[in-house]
Amino acid sequence: MNAFGPAAILGLIFGFMWGIGCSLAVMYSIYLGGYRKAVKDSLARPQPEHYSKALEKIRAKHQKKAANR
């Protein structure tokens, strides 16, 4: 422990926490941007083609689950 010194250990710990915190913030902002885009697409008229295809896949999956019950 004395070879590195307490300042180096604290720097390593704070650097690790800073790095993890920043990466989580970036991942959350990417997630939120995708969520906003999905809401925007769902409210658009006419709805985009990729939204309609995704919605049909989801409905088919729900119908399949309901039929299996």
Side-chain angles (χ1 to χ4, degrees), residues 7-34:
I9 300 298
L10 285 174
L12 182 66
I13 291 170
F14 285 125
F16 183 73
M17 287 191 296
W18 182 267
I20 295 295
C22 288
S23 65
L24 288 176
V26 169
M27 288 177 12
Y28 181 70
S29 66
I30 292 170
Y31 166 78
L32 209 54

mmCIF file of all heavy atoms in Angstrom, residues 7-34:
data_model
loop_
_atom_site.group_PDB
_atom_site.id
_atom_site.type_symbol
_atom_site.label_atom_id
_atom_site.label_comp_id
_atom_site.label_asym_id
_atom_site.label_seq_id
_atom_site.Cartn_x
_atom_site.Cartn_y
_atom_site.Cartn_z
ATOM 1 N N ALA A 7 -2.745 8.634 -2.030
ATOM 2 C CA ALA A 7 -3.275 9.519 -3.067
ATOM 3 C C ALA A 7 -3.514 8.749 -4.367
ATOM 4 O O ALA A 7 -4.508 8.978 -5.061
ATOM 5 C CB ALA A 7 -2.327 10.682 -3.301
ATOM 6 N N ALA A 8 -2.617 7.833 -4.689
ATOM 7 C CA ALA A 8 -2.786 7.041 -5.908
ATOM 8 C C ALA A 8 -3.989 6.112 -5.801
ATOM 9 O O ALA A 8 -4.743 5.947 -6.761
ATOM 10 C CB ALA A 8 -1.525 6.243 -6.183
ATOM 11 N N ILE A 9 -4.164 5.509 -4.634
ATOM 12 C CA ILE A 9 -5.313 4.625 -4.425
ATOM 13 C C ILE A 9 -6.617 5.427 -4.522
ATOM 14 O O ILE A 9 -7.567 4.996 -5.181
ATOM 15 C CB ILE A 9 -5.207 3.897 -3.066
ATOM 16 C CG1 ILE A 9 -3.941 3.041 -3.008
ATOM 17 C CG2 ILE A 9 -6.444 3.070 -2.799
ATOM 18 C CD1 ILE A 9 -3.894 1.931 -4.042
ATOM 19 N N LEU A 10 -6.653 6.580 -3.867
ATOM 20 C CA LEU A 10 -7.855 7.421 -3.958
ATOM 21 C C LEU A 10 -8.099 7.882 -5.397
ATOM 22 O O LEU A 10 -9.238 7.930 -5.857
ATOM 23 C CB LEU A 10 -7.737 8.626 -3.024
ATOM 24 C CG LEU A 10 -7.923 8.338 -1.548
ATOM 25 C CD1 LEU A 10 -7.641 9.590 -0.717
ATOM 26 C CD2 LEU A 10 -9.323 7.828 -1.268
ATOM 27 N N GLY A 11 -7.040 8.227 -6.108
ATOM 28 C CA GLY A 11 -7.181 8.619 -7.505
ATOM 29 C C GLY A 11 -7.736 7.497 -8.355
ATOM 30 O O GLY A 11 -8.577 7.725 -9.231
ATOM 31 N N LEU A 12 -7.286 6.280 -8.111
ATOM 32 C CA LEU A 12 -7.795 5.127 -8.837
ATOM 33 C C LEU A 12 -9.274 4.904 -8.542
ATOM 34 O O LEU A 12 -10.068 4.673 -9.458
ATOM 35 C CB LEU A 12 -6.981 3.887 -8.466
ATOM 36 C CG LEU A 12 -7.358 2.596 -9.181
ATOM 37 C CD1 LEU A 12 -7.039 2.708 -10.657
ATOM 38 C CD2 LEU A 12 -6.611 1.429 -8.564
ATOM 39 N N ILE A 13 -9.638 4.997 -7.272
ATOM 40 C CA ILE A 13 -11.038 4.788 -6.889
ATOM 41 C C ILE A 13 -11.931 5.864 -7.487
ATOM 42 O O ILE A 13 -12.970 5.571 -8.090
ATOM 43 C CB ILE A 13 -11.173 4.733 -5.355
ATOM 44 C CG1 ILE A 13 -10.521 3.464 -4.819
ATOM 45 C CG2 ILE A 13 -12.637 4.809 -4.932
ATOM 46 C CD1 ILE A 13 -10.392 3.423 -3.317
ATOM 47 N N PHE A 14 -11.530 7.141 -7.344
ATOM 48 C CA PHE A 14 -12.352 8.223 -7.895
ATOM 49 C C PHE A 14 -12.387 8.181 -9.418
ATOM 50 O O PHE A 14 -13.420 8.469 -10.032
ATOM 51 C CB PHE A 14 -11.861 9.585 -7.413
ATOM 52 C CG PHE A 14 -12.226 9.880 -5.994
ATOM 53 C CD1 PHE A 14 -11.247 10.224 -5.074
ATOM 54 C CD2 PHE A 14 -13.536 9.800 -5.573
ATOM 55 C CE1 PHE A 14 -11.577 10.502 -3.761
ATOM 56 C CE2 PHE A 14 -13.875 10.063 -4.258
ATOM 57 C CZ PHE A 14 -12.897 10.417 -3.343
ATOM 58 N N GLY A 15 -11.289 7.824 -10.052
ATOM 59 C CA GLY A 15 -11.263 7.711 -11.510
ATOM 60 C C GLY A 15 -12.189 6.623 -12.001
ATOM 61 O O GLY A 15 -12.891 6.784 -12.995
ATOM 62 N N PHE A 16 -12.206 5.502 -11.297
ATOM 63 C CA PHE A 16 -13.096 4.408 -11.665
ATOM 64 C C PHE A 16 -14.552 4.837 -11.513
ATOM 65 O O PHE A 16 -15.366 4.598 -12.392
ATOM 66 C CB PHE A 16 -12.795 3.186 -10.790
ATOM 67 C CG PHE A 16 -13.619 1.991 -11.142
ATOM 68 C CD1 PHE A 16 -13.360 1.270 -12.300
ATOM 69 C CD2 PHE A 16 -14.652 1.584 -10.310
ATOM 70 C CE1 PHE A 16 -14.120 0.159 -12.613
ATOM 71 C CE2 PHE A 16 -15.416 0.477 -10.614
ATOM 72 C CZ PHE A 16 -15.143 -0.236 -11.773
ATOM 73 N N MET A 17 -14.875 5.477 -10.395
ATOM 74 C CA MET A 17 -16.258 5.922 -10.180
ATOM 75 C C MET A 17 -16.656 6.974 -11.212
ATOM 76 O O MET A 17 -17.777 6.973 -11.707
ATOM 77 C CB MET A 17 -16.432 6.461 -8.757
ATOM 78 C CG MET A 17 -16.445 5.379 -7.706
ATOM 79 S SD MET A 17 -16.945 5.940 -6.077
ATOM 80 C CE MET A 17 -15.663 7.082 -5.664
ATOM 81 N N TRP A 18 -15.759 7.884 -11.542
ATOM 82 C CA TRP A 18 -16.038 8.924 -12.541
ATOM 83 C C TRP A 18 -16.305 8.284 -13.903
ATOM 84 O O TRP A 18 -17.237 8.662 -14.607
ATOM 85 C CB TRP A 18 -14.871 9.904 -12.610
ATOM 86 C CG TRP A 18 -15.077 11.024 -13.555
ATOM 87 C CD1 TRP A 18 -14.711 11.087 -14.847
ATOM 88 C CD2 TRP A 18 -15.738 12.256 -13.284
ATOM 89 N NE1 TRP A 18 -15.075 12.267 -15.411
ATOM 90 C CE2 TRP A 18 -15.715 13.011 -14.464
ATOM 91 C CE3 TRP A 18 -16.335 12.788 -12.146
ATOM 92 C CZ2 TRP A 18 -16.265 14.270 -14.546
ATOM 93 C CZ3 TRP A 18 -16.885 14.053 -12.236
ATOM 94 C CH2 TRP A 18 -16.854 14.777 -13.415
ATOM 95 N N GLY A 19 -15.482 7.319 -14.265
ATOM 96 C CA GLY A 19 -15.645 6.640 -15.553
ATOM 97 C C GLY A 19 -16.955 5.887 -15.653
ATOM 98 O O GLY A 19 -17.659 5.961 -16.664
ATOM 99 N N ILE A 20 -17.305 5.155 -14.602
ATOM 100 C CA ILE A 20 -18.566 4.411 -14.592
ATOM 101 C C ILE A 20 -19.741 5.379 -14.627
ATOM 102 O O ILE A 20 -20.707 5.175 -15.367
ATOM 103 C CB ILE A 20 -18.657 3.492 -13.351
ATOM 104 C CG1 ILE A 20 -17.590 2.415 -13.412
ATOM 105 C CG2 ILE A 20 -20.037 2.887 -13.215
ATOM 106 C CD1 ILE A 20 -17.760 1.433 -14.548
ATOM 107 N N GLY A 21 -19.679 6.432 -13.851
ATOM 108 C CA GLY A 21 -20.765 7.409 -13.819
ATOM 109 C C GLY A 21 -20.971 8.079 -15.164
ATOM 110 O O GLY A 21 -22.109 8.251 -15.623
ATOM 111 N N CYS A 22 -19.881 8.436 -15.822
ATOM 112 C CA CYS A 22 -19.992 9.079 -17.136
ATOM 113 C C CYS A 22 -20.561 8.118 -18.172
ATOM 114 O O CYS A 22 -21.398 8.501 -18.988
ATOM 115 C CB CYS A 22 -18.647 9.601 -17.601
ATOM 116 S SG CYS A 22 -18.105 11.051 -16.694
ATOM 117 N N SER A 23 -20.119 6.875 -18.149
ATOM 118 C CA SER A 23 -20.628 5.919 -19.129
ATOM 119 C C SER A 23 -22.108 5.631 -18.895
ATOM 120 O O SER A 23 -22.873 5.482 -19.847
ATOM 121 C CB SER A 23 -19.819 4.628 -19.104
ATOM 122 O OG SER A 23 -19.973 3.963 -17.874
ATOM 123 N N LEU A 24 -22.527 5.575 -17.642
ATOM 124 C CA LEU A 24 -23.953 5.389 -17.363
ATOM 125 C C LEU A 24 -24.770 6.583 -17.830
ATOM 126 O O LEU A 24 -25.878 6.420 -18.353
ATOM 127 C CB LEU A 24 -24.174 5.141 -15.868
ATOM 128 C CG LEU A 24 -23.730 3.788 -15.350
ATOM 129 C CD1 LEU A 24 -23.908 3.724 -13.829
ATOM 130 C CD2 LEU A 24 -24.490 2.676 -16.016
ATOM 131 N N ALA A 25 -24.245 7.778 -17.662
ATOM 132 C CA ALA A 25 -24.953 8.977 -18.120
ATOM 133 C C ALA A 25 -25.095 8.977 -19.640
ATOM 134 O O ALA A 25 -26.157 9.322 -20.170
ATOM 135 C CB ALA A 25 -24.213 10.228 -17.650
ATOM 136 N N VAL A 26 -24.058 8.561 -20.337
ATOM 137 C CA VAL A 26 -24.119 8.496 -21.802
ATOM 138 C C VAL A 26 -25.124 7.440 -22.252
ATOM 139 O O VAL A 26 -25.940 7.679 -23.152
ATOM 140 C CB VAL A 26 -22.717 8.218 -22.390
ATOM 141 C CG1 VAL A 26 -22.791 7.870 -23.861
ATOM 142 C CG2 VAL A 26 -21.817 9.419 -22.180
ATOM 143 N N MET A 27 -25.086 6.281 -21.626
ATOM 144 C CA MET A 27 -26.034 5.221 -21.993
ATOM 145 C C MET A 27 -27.473 5.647 -21.727
ATOM 146 O O MET A 27 -28.373 5.362 -22.522
ATOM 147 C CB MET A 27 -25.705 3.930 -21.228
ATOM 148 C CG MET A 27 -24.453 3.272 -21.720
ATOM 149 S SD MET A 27 -23.870 1.786 -20.864
ATOM 150 C CE MET A 27 -25.151 1.273 -19.808
ATOM 151 N N TYR A 28 -27.720 6.346 -20.630
ATOM 152 C CA TYR A 28 -29.064 6.811 -20.320
ATOM 153 C C TYR A 28 -29.527 7.844 -21.333
ATOM 154 O O TYR A 28 -30.686 7.829 -21.751
ATOM 155 C CB TYR A 28 -29.104 7.390 -18.904
ATOM 156 C CG TYR A 28 -30.478 7.867 -18.500
ATOM 157 C CD1 TYR A 28 -31.495 6.955 -18.258
ATOM 158 C CD2 TYR A 28 -30.762 9.215 -18.377
ATOM 159 C CE1 TYR A 28 -32.764 7.378 -17.906
ATOM 160 C CE2 TYR A 28 -32.028 9.652 -18.022
ATOM 161 C CZ TYR A 28 -33.017 8.723 -17.780
ATOM 162 O OH TYR A 28 -34.271 9.154 -17.434
ATOM 163 N N SER A 29 -28.648 8.740 -21.760
ATOM 164 C CA SER A 29 -29.051 9.752 -22.728
ATOM 165 C C SER A 29 -29.363 9.112 -24.080
ATOM 166 O O SER A 29 -30.279 9.542 -24.778
ATOM 167 C CB SER A 29 -27.983 10.832 -22.871
ATOM 168 O OG SER A 29 -26.810 10.302 -23.434
ATOM 169 N N ILE A 30 -28.623 8.067 -24.467
ATOM 170 C CA ILE A 30 -28.923 7.348 -25.709
ATOM 171 C C ILE A 30 -30.280 6.659 -25.594
ATOM 172 O O ILE A 30 -31.099 6.705 -26.513
ATOM 173 C CB ILE A 30 -27.805 6.342 -26.028
ATOM 174 C CG1 ILE A 30 -26.526 7.085 -26.397
ATOM 175 C CG2 ILE A 30 -28.219 5.390 -27.141
ATOM 176 C CD1 ILE A 30 -25.304 6.200 -26.491
ATOM 177 N N TYR A 31 -30.541 6.013 -24.455
ATOM 178 C CA TYR A 31 -31.821 5.356 -24.227
ATOM 179 C C TYR A 31 -32.962 6.357 -24.294
ATOM 180 O O TYR A 31 -33.976 6.120 -24.938
ATOM 181 C CB TYR A 31 -31.800 4.655 -22.866
ATOM 182 C CG TYR A 31 -33.156 4.238 -22.376
ATOM 183 C CD1 TYR A 31 -33.779 3.111 -22.878
ATOM 184 C CD2 TYR A 31 -33.828 4.990 -21.406
ATOM 185 C CE1 TYR A 31 -35.024 2.725 -22.436
ATOM 186 C CE2 TYR A 31 -35.071 4.612 -20.961
ATOM 187 C CZ TYR A 31 -35.672 3.483 -21.468
ATOM 188 O OH TYR A 31 -36.902 3.114 -21.026
ATOM 189 N N LEU A 32 -32.798 7.494 -23.642
ATOM 190 C CA LEU A 32 -33.845 8.507 -23.612
ATOM 191 C C LEU A 32 -34.089 9.088 -24.999
ATOM 192 O O LEU A 32 -35.240 9.351 -25.363
ATOM 193 C CB LEU A 32 -33.456 9.617 -22.633
ATOM 194 C CG LEU A 32 -34.589 10.361 -21.954
ATOM 195 C CD1 LEU A 32 -35.530 9.405 -21.257
ATOM 196 C CD2 LEU A 32 -34.028 11.348 -20.953
ATOM 197 N N GLY A 33 -33.038 9.262 -25.785
ATOM 198 C CA GLY A 33 -33.206 9.754 -27.148
ATOM 199 C C GLY A 33 -34.010 8.787 -27.996
ATOM 200 O O GLY A 33 -34.872 9.197 -28.779
ATOM 201 N N GLY A 34 -33.758 7.494 -27.843
ATOM 202 C CA GLY A 34 -34.529 6.475 -28.561
ATOM 203 C C GLY A 34 -35.975 6.452 -28.113
ATOM 204 O O GLY A 34 -36.889 6.268 -28.924
#
